Amino acid sequence: MKKILNIAIALTLLAGTGSAFAQGPAMRGPAMAMHGPSHPDWREGGKIGHDDWGRGVKLDYRAHHLRRPPRGYEWREVDGNYILAAAATGLIASIILAGH
């Protein structure tokens, strides 16, 4: 009985730590390579830098099943993330983060 209880406790602890590692805010190593660089400054209402915007690829919103952008806005894929922002100012209206 004691052995079964110890196994149950060990499995509970392992299950809890596995989800914490998978959802941790700072990805390193292979996980970061898989999801691309982190951009903590990107948020709705914030701005995307000119360099980041410039290296992004303009997306066809229909082909990617995204909502139609308002006039003056574009969808771009930057580091695997989809960003809807004003083309002239970089004001972010919406973000779909990679792997989330």
Side-chain angles (χ1 to χ4, degrees), residues 67-75 84-85 93:
R67 68 181 173 154
R68 183 179 180 169
R71 183 180 301 254
Y73 282 72
E74 294 178 4
W75 280 104
L84 175 62

Side-chain angles (χ1 to χ4, degrees), residues 23-93:
Q23 297 175 0
M27 288 189 276
R28 307 248 189 278
M32 184 172 173
M34 200 168 40
H35 295 291
S38 174
H39 298 283
D41 52 330
W42 291 357
R43 63 187 179 287
E44 291 181 13
K47 289 191 175 186
I48 183 171
H50 182 71
D51 292 338
D52 288 334
W53 185 254
R55 66 186 168 80
V57 177
K58 186 175 178 180
L59 295 175
D60 175 6
Y61 70 93
R62 290 180 202 98
H64 288 83
H65 307 286
L66 300 167
R67 68 181 173 154
R68 183 179 180 169
R71 183 180 301 254
Y73 282 72
E74 294 178 4
W75 280 104
R76 296 255 177 142
E77 183 178 357
V78 184
D79 299 330
N81 305 295
Y82 292 170
I83 311 290
L84 175 62
T89 64
L91 182 65
I92 299 173

